[in-house]
Amino acid sequence: MPSDSAPSITSARLAPKREIFGWAMFDFANQGYTLLIITVIYGDLFTRVIVGDAPDYRLGNLLWSLALAVSYLMVVVANPVCGAMMDYACQRKRYLFFSYLLTVVATVLLYFVEPGWLIPAMLLIIVSNFAYALGEGFIASFLPDLGPRKSLGWISGLGWGLGYIGGLIATAFTLYFLGDVTAENYATIRWVGPFAGVFFLLAAIPTFIWLRERGTKQALPEGQNLFSAGIQRLQTTWREMHYFRDLRSLLISIFFSMAGIYIIISFSFIYGSQVIGWDEEVRVLMFVIVQITAAIGAIGFGYIQSHIGARTTYIITLLLWLVAILAIWQTPSLTAAMHQWLGVSWQAQYVFLFAGVLSGLSLGSSQSAGRALVGILTPQGKSAEFFGFWGMSAKLAAVFGILGLGLIQWVFGLADAILFCLALFVMAIMTLLPVNEKRGEQAADDWEHRDAAE
């Protein structure tokens, strides 16, 4: 039964500003890991220096895909179980803290990896990304506690917007002081691991000071431990999933969209290096553009969501992704067309920046809108568990998307393999169409009332 300390979502007041800020600061902190380790620096370092199978780096790309896929597959198994256990024991902050510390330690240890040390590098990426991805689901489970449904869009957008600002600060500092991703600069660039870990460690402190743990710890049934009780809770929820058909359809849509997003996150800078052949200054400029536009997209669409609804906002962001993927794929053709029709002699790397603007706007807004929509359709008392399903869907998508792209590029090359993303976002839109936001909200309310009556 819901406690007085955990009011119903439909009647919740806005949480104190410092608590919302503390929650959003975890996004600020963990985005440094995503960008420095997964997207901008370490992924490139792994493929071109640690593995170093020039000229096409297909083995490096494949091993990078495998390491990320294994870590996400571990999250698929662990996230729903941990979510059920957290709801049962009212220990979300404790689980969040453990995932945070494990991410920090494993990331710092990347410093000790040498070129050619494929297994140690892959193991540390698997552990650090597993812990980071678990924490991403754990922090999201606090979102429904922070305000009424109509406010979740801008709160989620604020978190994601701050995240991209944090990533911009962390990565700009790293690129300026650590230099290029080259074998010659390895003694300096290897410090990216310790810097990312310490940045996460310090920036997330406000989260653990100000974020409140809401809910009531439930007594364990006789003869059961927390793990078995969590499994039993999951089984019950699975049997009752027909009550939440709109949430179920949403999670399927998120599966397809996140498969495409994780491909972009994991391979966009690899794509720029290997396919577009950009210079270092363009690489830095692309990073800045994506971070700024992603923050604008997350905050701007979060505000829009409160006026036009979460589902409509989410569909718009997915359509924006279709345009962005086409721009990425057609960058060489767009460059040639501009030269032929407009007489503009730009290099492909500068035209690629236009795709970066579209991708940034899509990246921040779609993730924020999807997370907020899950919060809207989630009943009070099951937030960690249902966001565990959200994390499971997203990370299973990562396994599917990253492995799929890794195998397709192994056969066809990275340039044409990007079309796989286009198909994924089309499927995301198609599976989202049956979702009815109002009906989903009513299902969450009905479950809360039934649970209170019991």
Side-chain angles (χ1 to χ4, degrees):
M1 180 181 296
S3 70
D4 292 338
S5 60
S8 170
I9 294 174
T10 54
S11 61
R13 296 179 180 177
L14 203 63
K17 292 181 180 179
R18 68 176 185 179
E19 184 177 6
I20 294 175
F21 174 75
W23 177 83
M25 279 300 293
F26 200 85
D27 279 350
F28 178 93
N30 70 13
Q31 191 68 13
Y33 172 86
T34 301
L35 288 170
L36 295 177
I37 304 303
I38 304 301
T39 305
V40 181
I41 295 180
Y42 205 83
D44 197 16
L45 188 68
F46 178 87
T47 56
R48 294 199 294 120
V49 178
I50 295 174
V51 179
D53 60 322
D56 56 6
Y57 306 105
R58 293 194 183 190
L59 177 61
N61 291 343
L62 182 60
L63 293 179
W64 182 248
S65 300
L66 287 173
L68 295 181
V70 169
S71 66
Y72 292 134
L73 191 59
M74 292 165 60
V75 176
V76 168
V77 176
N79 219 336
V81 178
C82 289
M85 293 168 64
M86 286 189 293
D87 278 337
Y88 208 98
C90 194
Q91 293 180 345
R92 286 179 293 172
K93 282 187 71 173
R94 180 178 297 181
Y95 281 70
L96 180 65
F97 187 74
F98 174 76
S99 69
Y100 151 79
L101 284 185
L102 183 58
T103 306
V104 169
V105 172
T107 304
V108 169
L109 290 177
L110 288 171
Y111 171 83
F112 298 100
V113 173
E114 299 287 347
W117 289 19
L118 307 187
I119 300 302
M122 291 179 70
L123 287 176
L124 287 174
I125 287 297
I126 288 170
V127 172
S128 64
N129 198 47
F130 166 71
Y132 157 79
L134 275 182
E136 193 177 32
F138 295 167
I139 191 66
S141 71
F142 288 90
L143 177 59
D145 296 339
L146 300 179
R149 288 190 177 110
K150 65 180 180 180
S151 300
L152 297 189
W154 73 260
I155 294 174
S156 179
L158 173 65
W160 235 290
L162 274 181
Y164 287 111
I165 294 172
L168 177 62
I169 293 171
T171 310
F173 180 90
T174 303
L175 292 172
Y176 182 80
F177 286 100
L178 300 187
D180 297 344
V181 179
T182 62
E184 295 75 19
N185 190 45
Y186 191 77
T188 302
I189 197 65
R190 71 193 303 168
W191 281 96
V192 65
F195 177 77
V198 172
F199 182 86
F200 193 5
L201 178 71
L202 298 179
I205 290 175
T207 302
F208 297 99
I209 294 176
W210 289 322
L211 190 62
R212 288 180 53 196
E213 182 78 74
R214 292 174 172 83
T216 302
K217 181 178 179 179
Q218 300 182 41
L220 289 172
E222 186 175 351
Q224 288 194 8
N225 55 35
L226 186 57
F227 177 78
S228 62
I231 293 294
Q232 185 179 63
R233 183 184 176 98
L234 271 180
Q235 292 172 340
T236 300
T237 299
W238 190 257
R239 288 193 299 267
E240 296 180 340
M241 190 55 74
H242 61 279
Y243 287 111
F244 307 104
R245 58 175 176 169
D246 292 290
L247 180 60
R248 181 176 56 193
S249 295
L250 172 61
L251 292 177
I252 295 172
S253 175
I254 286 175
F255 169 84
F256 288 112
S257 67
M258 290 305 297
I261 288 172
Y262 274 107
I263 288 173
I264 299 300
I265 289 174
S266 303
F267 282 94
S268 58
F269 277 71
I270 296 173
Y271 188 94
S273 176
Q274 296 179 13
V275 178
I276 303 299
W278 56 17
D279 298 329
E280 180 63 23
E281 60 268 21
V282 177
R283 176 174 174 265
V284 174
L285 182 58
M286 173 65 88
F287 162 73
V288 174
I289 287 174
V290 170
Q291 293 307 110
I292 292 175
T293 54
I296 293 172
I299 296 173
F301 276 94
Y303 174 79
I304 292 171
Q305 179 177 314
S306 63
H307 292 81
I308 66 174
R311 176 184 175 275
T312 302
T313 303
Y314 190 41
I315 289 177
I316 292 172
T317 66
L318 295 179
L319 291 172
L320 191 58
W321 263 121
L322 295 181
V323 180
I325 298 300
L326 287 173
I328 292 172
W329 178 51
Q330 288 296 310
T331 291
S333 298
L334 289 173
T335 304
M338 290 174 65
H339 177 68
Q340 180 180 352
W341 297 341
L342 303 177
V344 178
S345 299
W346 287 2
Q347 297 179 29
Q349 61 179 336
Y350 297 110
V351 178
F352 192 54
L353 295 175
F354 170 70
V357 172
L358 294 174
S359 298
L361 290 172
S362 309
L363 184 65
S365 59
S366 60
Q367 294 183 94
S368 174
R371 180 170 67 175
L373 189 51
V374 172
I376 288 170
L377 303 182
T378 296
Q380 182 272 328
K382 280 186 173 289
S383 60
E385 187 178 351
F386 276 33
F387 272 101
F389 286 125
W390 171 74
M392 179 186 74
S393 179
K395 274 36 180 186
L396 186 60
V399 176
F400 175 76
I402 292 173
L403 273 184
L405 187 84
L407 293 172
I408 292 172
Q409 67 84 34
W410 177 265
V411 178
F412 298 105
L414 190 56
D416 291 328
I418 200 69
L419 278 178
F420 181 48
C421 285
L422 193 68
L424 291 171
F425 284 110
V426 170
M427 291 301 300
I429 294 171
M430 296 300 294
T431 52
L432 185 64
L433 293 179
V435 173
N436 185 306
E437 188 174 341
K438 293 298 182 182
R439 183 177 61 200
E441 290 182 21
Q442 187 61 51
D445 289 341
D446 291 345
W447 189 93
E448 289 178 23
H449 297 151
R450 189 195 67 176
D451 188 60
E454 293 175 354

